[in-house]
Amino acid sequence: MAKILDSRIPEGPVAEKWTNYKAHQRLVNPKNKLKLDVIVVGTGLAGASAAASLGEMGFTVYNFCIQDSPRRAHSIAAQGGINAAKNYQNDGDSVYRLFYDTVKGGDYRAREANVYRLAEVSNDIIDQCVAQGVPFAREYGGMLANRSFGGAQVSRTFYAKGQTGQQLLLGAYSALSCQVNAGRVKLYTRYEMEDVVIVEGRARGIIAKNLVTGKLERFSANAVVIATGGYGNTYFLSTNAMGCNCTAAVQCYRKGAMFANPSYVQIHPTCIPVHGDKQSKLTLMSESLRNDGRIWVPKKIEDAKALQAGTKKGSDIPEEDRDYYLERRYPAFGNLVPRDVASRAAKERCDKGFGVNNTGLAVFLDFSESIERLGIDVVRQRYGNLFDMYEEITDVNPGELANEINGVKYYNPMMIFPAVHYTMGGIWVDYELMTTITGLFAIGECNFSDHGANRLGASALMQGLADGYFVLPYTIQNYLADQAIWPKVPTDRPEFDEAEKGVQKEIDRLMGIQGKRSVDSIHKELGHIMWEHVGMGRTAQGLKEGLELIKKIRKEFNTNLFIPGSKEGLNVELDKAIHLRDFITMGELVAYDALLRNESCGGHFREEYQTEEGEAKRDDENFFYVGCWEYQGSDEKAPELTKEPLQYEAIKVQTRNYKN
């Protein structure tokens, strides 16, 4: 019998659901808050904002991060900006339009109610961050500045040069530090969650590893919140930091939390191309560059071959011989189409032989027109640190005059190519952000809730802070309201014993394999399989082959892995091995979901299902649902699918159009 998932979406029109929910939810009175504790795993924008908010409310919070400081959480890497429907530009923006653009950008595969709430609280986030002192860019008159991002025809993205994530994280870190100083948040740095502990059907604690001493420790609380980011590093090469992993999320999945829409993986179009087989990660160039940069490849195949051979440079090709293919194919949005559309268009040009570097896997992002129109000083004021980053990595200065042809000045273009960036799939949560395990909440990128099949640029920071500052502090109270009279759960209960023994047994197993291969060599092989078989273009045959290859990778991992050192003390290779074990499981989940979803939508592109023009072809009759996968007790067993039907009331589901 098929399981029915209760998403707990409130009754009423979509624009009134959140207001109605807050008006009728249960609350915890101030004195009872002092008796309750919450574990928050993660200190990125979602985790830090949640821990700070819950501490401010009076709860006791135990906050864990794998880095030596919350400031090193990967949210720091976000560059371009954060969306909000302030309409400061007076260009027609509104809460509804942000809601609509987000649902459309996600190819009509997100929950309406969650997305509307996200759009609704977006304006509060900006006010909160300004109050914290986040140095958003401002217009000459002092108003906060905005720029455009993909999938929108309005300017709604607030930014701090090209380091928005860093500045927002410092704001959240300040709020968190205030609560640490007040004694309401206890911060555990260099700790990693290894398992969730379930007592009488509820999440009541975690087993965490002290990464410095190697010891396992137990922590109990009234609720557990996971804010540990996405699973993009399954592909080995991605724009994520090397430490980013999905272990906490996968352990929750193994304990009974369903995993939703794993096949929705975002490929970001503006990444510095791969330049060898020794790279450990890829570097992103912010989507904000598409405001003033124009993307092109040569019109003539002979020019492309000359670029690939190194006998020509981009600045040698005159304007009339350049194909600005996004402007040509999508005139209404041009270079600011959503990420999945821009990525597939770049792949299509490169597949046809028009790539511009020695591998043929790159396109140009060119600022010549903007520099001539605005002047280099204005362009550098907007993107200076991004230009500097590009030059440090490639030894090419994108703001440098390189050629002049018939009186037209040409500057060095950047080279870009799509790369794995963000994961829209994640732990399934209901409207209250609670997983299928009672008392276990998931926020930020590690849940599936707000982006459908593709995330619009500048919406990750928005979701992380929305969940942490303005959603979870309400919804978790609804759960905790009846728990103030509950006894504390001691950590010497059998459930904690069993969980810790399970983690220790697994560590001993991994240390005892004593094979011949390093963690990285196996992870690289997994990443290659994922990119080739479960990457930008997927086919049924390729996915089936990919699944078989991933099973072989697991066998190789379980029989030929070598971890140097010991389990005592600091052992980075052991930690990486635990992460890889879970990336293998995650890779299978992505492939299973992609194989079963016989349609193309957003970041999931099945080559069998496309229009004559190469656009994604959805099947709303058969796949208008959230695909929720349930663990079957063993990594060797295929997971089982449960469907949560999507229901749209406010938006008409139609084919995405960015052409007119």
Side-chain angles (χ1 to χ4, degrees), residues 106-110 261 263-264 344 452-453 536-540 543 592-611 615-627 646 653-655:
D107 219 352
Y108 303 94
R109 289 291 179 265
N261 295 339
S263 64
Y264 294 163
R344 280 196 296 276
M536 281 178 72
R538 301 163 175 176
T539 64
L543 289 164
Y592 278 124
D593 193 45
L595 182 60
L596 208 70
R597 193 168 276 278
N598 293 322
E599 64 164 356
S600 291
C601 57
H604 165 63
F605 192 74
R606 283 282 296 274
E607 292 177 3
E608 307 97 322
Y609 306 100
Q610 56 181 303
T611 66
E615 305 292 346
K617 193 174 183 181
R618 292 197 324 265
D619 179 353
D620 295 328
E621 190 176 335
N622 295 306
F623 296 97
F624 194 50
Y625 62 74
V626 177
L646 290 166
V653 179
Q654 54 196 345
T655 302

Side-chain angles (χ1 to χ4, degrees), residues 640-658:
E640 281 190 6
L641 177 69
T642 297
K643 301 173 184 177
E644 180 207 334
L646 290 166
Q647 295 176 331
Y648 279 21
E649 303 161 23
I651 288 179
K652 181 184 176 186
V653 179
Q654 54 196 345
T655 302
R656 284 193 304 178
N657 177 15
Y658 293 101

Side-chain angles (χ1 to χ4, degrees), residues 365-437:
L365 176 61
D366 200 304
F367 295 87
S368 297
E369 186 269 335
S370 294
I371 292 171
E372 283 297 291
R373 175 169 49 88
L374 300 167
I376 186 61
D377 289 345
V378 172
V379 172
R380 284 200 67 87
Q381 195 176 357
R382 293 176 180 176
Y383 315 110
N385 61 311
L386 298 170
F387 277 34
D388 293 343
M389 190 192 306
Y390 186 84
E391 184 175 7
E392 279 186 33
I393 293 169
T394 66
D395 205 26
V396 173
N397 177 358
E400 185 176 65
L401 181 63
N403 202 355
E404 188 169 335
I405 307 172
N406 299 327
V408 179
K409 291 179 178 175
Y410 295 98
Y411 294 78
N412 287 324
M414 290 181 177
M415 284 188 193
I416 56 167
F417 194 68
V420 171
H421 177 56
Y422 185 93
T423 51
M424 285 74 64
I427 301 173
W428 183 90
V429 292
D430 60 22
Y431 188 75
E432 297 185 342
L433 305 183
M434 185 146 67
T435 69
T436 46
I437 297 174

Side-chain angles (χ1 to χ4, degrees), residues 237-550:
L237 283 182
S238 82
T239 66
N240 292 277
M242 286 188 71
C244 294
N245 65 85
C246 59
T247 287
V250 169
Q251 282 297 84
C252 293
Y253 162 70
R254 288 195 182 100
K255 280 290 181 79
M258 285 197 185
F259 209 98
N261 295 339
S263 64
Y264 294 163
V265 174
Q266 179 163 86
I267 314 288
H268 197 297
T270 55
C271 181
I272 296 178
V274 175
H275 57 74
D277 59 2
K278 302 291 188 288
Q279 276 179 273
S280 56
K281 75 176 295 295
L282 297 172
T283 303
L284 186 68
M285 288 286 100
S286 168
E287 181 174 312
S288 62
L289 294 168
R290 292 200 270 152
N291 271 280
D292 290 306
R294 301 175 71 195
I295 295 171
W296 64 277
V297 293
K299 285 180 180 176
K300 300 174 183 173
I301 196 73
E302 55 266 31
D303 281 344
K305 286 182 174 160
L307 289 165
Q308 290 161 19
T311 57
K312 266 190 180 180
K313 293 181 178 178
S315 54
D316 296 332
I317 298 174
E319 185 72 14
E320 61 270 19
D321 291 335
R322 299 179 172 197
D323 176 17
Y324 296 96
Y325 57 89
L326 290 177
E327 297 171 37
R328 169 172 58 81
R329 288 178 62 174
Y330 308 101
F333 284 73
N335 294 295
L336 286 169
V337 291
R339 291 173 176 178
D340 61 310
V341 177
S343 293
R344 280 196 296 276
K347 181 178 186 292
E348 184 271 336
R349 287 290 80 197
C350 291
D351 287 349
K352 288 276 169 58
F354 290 92
V356 299
N357 68 350
N358 59 344
T359 64
L361 299 175
V363 299
F364 285 129
L365 176 61
D366 200 304
F367 295 87
S368 297
E369 186 269 335
S370 294
I371 292 171
E372 283 297 291
R373 175 169 49 88
L374 300 167
I376 186 61
D377 289 345
V378 172
V379 172
R380 284 200 67 87
Q381 195 176 357
R382 293 176 180 176
Y383 315 110
N385 61 311
L386 298 170
F387 277 34
D388 293 343
M389 190 192 306
Y390 186 84
E391 184 175 7
E392 279 186 33
I393 293 169
T394 66
D395 205 26
V396 173
N397 177 358
E400 185 176 65
L401 181 63
N403 202 355
E404 188 169 335
I405 307 172
N406 299 327
V408 179
K409 291 179 178 175
Y410 295 98
Y411 294 78
N412 287 324
M414 290 181 177
M415 284 188 193
I416 56 167
F417 194 68
V420 171
H421 177 56
Y422 185 93
T423 51
M424 285 74 64
I427 301 173
W428 183 90
V429 292
D430 60 22
Y431 188 75
E432 297 185 342
L433 305 183
M434 185 146 67
T435 69
T436 46
I437 297 174
T438 305
L440 178 68
F441 295 79
I443 60 176
E445 188 182 354
C446 80
N447 76 27
F448 88 102
S449 66
D450 290 8
H451 306 295
N454 171 62
R455 175 176 68 75
L456 292 185
S459 287
L461 305 184
M462 177 173 63
Q463 188 211 343
L465 291 181
D467 286 356
Y469 282 138
F470 297 109
V471 179
L472 183 76
Y474 286 97
T475 62
I476 201 168
Q477 284 192 82
N478 202 44
Y479 171 69
L480 293 173
D482 59 0
Q483 289 201 42
I485 54 172
W486 287 16
K488 294 270 186 191
V489 173
T491 56
D492 58 359
R493 284 184 60 120
E495 293 90 346
F496 281 87
D497 292 341
E498 188 182 341
E500 186 181 327
K501 280 177 188 168
V503 173
Q504 192 62 66
K505 184 180 176 185
E506 180 65 2
I507 288 172
D508 292 339
R509 180 184 77 83
L510 295 174
M511 292 299 300
I513 295 171
Q514 291 297 300
K516 291 187 169 59
R517 291 191 59 182
S518 69
V519 177
D520 281 351
S521 73
I522 300 174
H523 194 175
K524 279 183 182 177
E525 193 176 335
L526 171 67
H528 184 73
I529 292 164
M530 292 298 295
W531 182 252
E532 293 297 321
H533 297 272
V534 202
M536 281 178 72
R538 301 163 175 176
T539 64
Q541 181 65 27
L543 289 164
K544 287 173 186 171
E545 288 172 8
L547 276 167
E548 289 306 310
L549 290 168
I550 295 169

Side-chain angles (χ1 to χ4, degrees), residues 82 125-126 129-130 133-138 144-145 158-160 164 168:
I82 177 169
I125 297 170
I126 303 303
C129 293
V130 169
V134 173
F136 286 121
R138 293 180 181 266
L144 297 185
F158 295 78
Y159 63 97
T164 315
L168 291 171

